[in-house]
Amino acid sequence: MKAIQIVKPGELRVIDMEKPSLDAENNVLVKIRASGICGSDVGIYHGTNAAATYPRVIGHEIVGEVAEVGPGVTTRKPGDRVIIDQVTACGKCYACRKGRPNVCQHLAVRGVHIDGGYREYMAVPEKDCYTLPDFLEYKDAVMIEPTTIAVQCCSRAQLESDDDVLIIGAGALGSSLLRIVKLFRPHSIIMADIDQPKLDEALKNGATAVINSKNEDLVARAKELTGGYGPTVTIDAACVKGSLLSACQAAGNATRVMTMGFSVAPDEINQFVITSKELDIRGSRLQNRKFGEVIRLVNEGKVELRGTVSHTFPFLEAQKAFDFVDSRDPSIRKISLIFD
Ligand code: MN
């Protein structure tokens, strides 16, 4: 079978790989039908993802059709349309024992630390497969995974209806956060970015106020929009130099600041801004078994995933797709690689 491998940073290749066979653990064979291109896949291609190892078959937004099941499999049958959980964990370390396998000490993420979904077939444990909503095409179903990332962040933030939420960054991550944050019906949702068209879109999609931090003072404006107190949940979805400090400065006393970035570049932060307000700074990584919840929200019509995928490419033309991403064409929202 064919697969797309990042041999080393900057080098993408179509390779031949042995079709996986079933064993006691990986007892469901999935014929991949679509895989999304995520910012982190692009990072692995460019060598800017600190977590990745090479060579690697990338892709962690993986949907397909069950082709074969092993003996003893009861919850899956050939023909089932599924999405595959990207997280694999040891089940024994402290994080796993605390029910947090997404930060397992021996975490292996499909498409990052172990081979992922840019290939024709994958063999996975049945517990890692989740049934897709019937009405959702494969190309759109890849959006379930980025949505789980947003659900994870809201869960880590213990978001409630009396919260004033500030989301810094209105790109792909920020807009998928907005989609989930608004389901909690918080008191307010403020979005900040330096790109006005993205902010206009955020307003259309349910943000209650926006801050263009290119020409407005982010911290002062966030305070003003929250009656002087500051947001009670501040999410750094921009993850750029200075964004964490701004988030902490904007945040109100006794509130939560969420980080989602993976940059290893040193950034300025001081203890005063954290200690004086007793901020809880919490990381949110990947997702902890959130697929079921997102699929339920989609089935109930509370989350619309159709309309976000802007482009599709046949998976063997992955190089073209990644070049297109690099062109930073403004029409790009989400790209799905399609398999026949
Ligand atoms: Mn992703």
Side-chain angles (χ1 to χ4, degrees):
M1 67 173 190
K2 300 286 183 201
I4 305 298
Q5 187 186 65
I6 306 300
V7 184
K8 58 180 198 286
E11 191 182 337
L12 181 154
R13 223 184 264 164
V14 179
I15 60 162
D16 282 305
M17 222 182 157
E18 205 179 321
K19 184 175 162 182
S21 44
L22 298 181
D23 56 35
E25 196 197 341
N26 297 301
N27 52 8
V28 173
L29 186 71
V30 181
K31 162 95 183 78
I32 308 305
R33 299 296 300 269
S35 278
I37 299 182
C38 178
S40 66
D41 295 312
V42 180
I44 297 172
Y45 173 50
H46 288 306
T48 55
N49 184 319
T53 51
Y54 301 86
R56 182 64 53 231
V57 174
I58 56 172
H60 59 270
E61 302 173 354
I62 317 161
V63 298
E65 191 181 324
V66 173
E68 195 188 323
V69 299
V73 172
T74 54
T75 62
R76 292 293 152 209
K77 58 178 191 315
D80 284 359
R81 302 167 76 246
V82 295
I83 185 159
I84 298 171
D85 195 329
Q86 79 279 46
V87 171
T88 72
C90 77
K92 298 185 182 82
C93 72
Y94 178 84
C96 283
R97 292 199 309 273
K98 291 286 171 183
R100 295 170 64 179
N102 56 311
V103 284
C104 166
Q105 184 188 6
H106 306 289
L107 178 71
V109 178
R110 297 191 167 98
V112 182
H113 312 96
I114 55 175
D115 284 343
Y118 289 5
R119 52 177 156 155
E120 292 178 84
Y121 289 91
M122 283 178 84
V124 297
E126 68 177 318
K127 69 167 172 45
D128 289 348
C129 298
Y130 294 83
T131 305
L132 295 178
D134 289 334
F135 57 86
L136 204 58
E137 283 181 60
Y138 286 115
K139 76 164 170 68
D140 296 319
V142 304
M143 283 302 299
I144 292 170
E145 190 274 343
T147 311
T148 64
I149 307 302
V151 169
Q152 175 72 11
C153 182
C154 294
S155 148
R156 290 275 298 142
Q158 295 173 292
L159 192 60
E160 288 180 39
S161 58
D162 65 350
D163 278 313
D164 285 298
V165 182
L166 168 64
I167 303 172
I168 303 176
L173 180 57
S175 30
S176 107
L177 280 161
L178 173 59
R179 200 177 259 162
I180 298 303
V181 166
K182 69 181 179 189
L183 298 177
F184 290 80
R185 301 186 180 282
H187 188 244
S188 68
I189 312 172
I190 306 159
M191 288 201 74
D193 203 284
I194 52 171
D195 185 67
Q196 193 58 43
K198 283 187 186 146
L199 293 173
D200 295 341
E201 209 172 298
L203 280 174
K204 251 185 267 158
N205 292 333
T208 48
V210 294
I211 302 172
N212 187 330
S213 44
K214 201 173 179 179
N215 40 45
E216 290 177 290
D217 182 332
L218 172 61
V219 174
R221 205 49 202 125
K223 296 246 186 235
E224 216 171 272
L225 287 164
T226 52
Y229 193 82
T232 60
V233 169
T234 307
I235 305 172
D236 182 4
C239 320
V240 295
K241 199 166 175 54
S243 58
L244 180 58
L245 182 61
S246 298
C248 293
Q249 286 169 333
N253 292 7
T255 68
R256 289 87 78 204
V257 173
M258 306 303 302
T259 74
M260 302 186 78
F262 255 89
S263 169
V264 290
D267 200 1
E268 186 194 325
I269 188 90
N270 61 72
Q271 296 210 11
F272 178 79
V273 74
I274 302 167
T275 312
S276 63
K277 299 195 257 192
E278 272 199 352
L279 295 181
D280 287 331
I281 299 187
R282 299 181 188 164
S284 181
R285 180 175 192 185
L286 298 161
Q287 52 79 35
N288 186 0
R289 301 258 147 209
K290 299 298 187 201
F291 284 92
E293 191 172 337
V294 170
I295 289 166
R296 181 178 55 78
L297 291 170
V298 173
N299 276 325
E300 288 172 356
K302 291 181 177 148
V303 167
E304 178 57 86
L305 299 180
R306 291 168 292 189
T308 303
V309 170
S310 53
H311 301 82
T312 60
F313 287 81
F315 99 105
L316 291 176
E317 290 174 24
Q319 182 70 61
K320 250 195 197 164
F322 278 74
D323 290 345
F324 184 56
V325 172
D326 285 344
S327 78
R328 295 182 175 272
D329 188 295
S331 68
I332 298 175
R333 286 289 172 277
K334 180 73 181 181
I335 301 179
S336 256
L337 298 178
I338 303 299
F339 301 62
D340 342 293

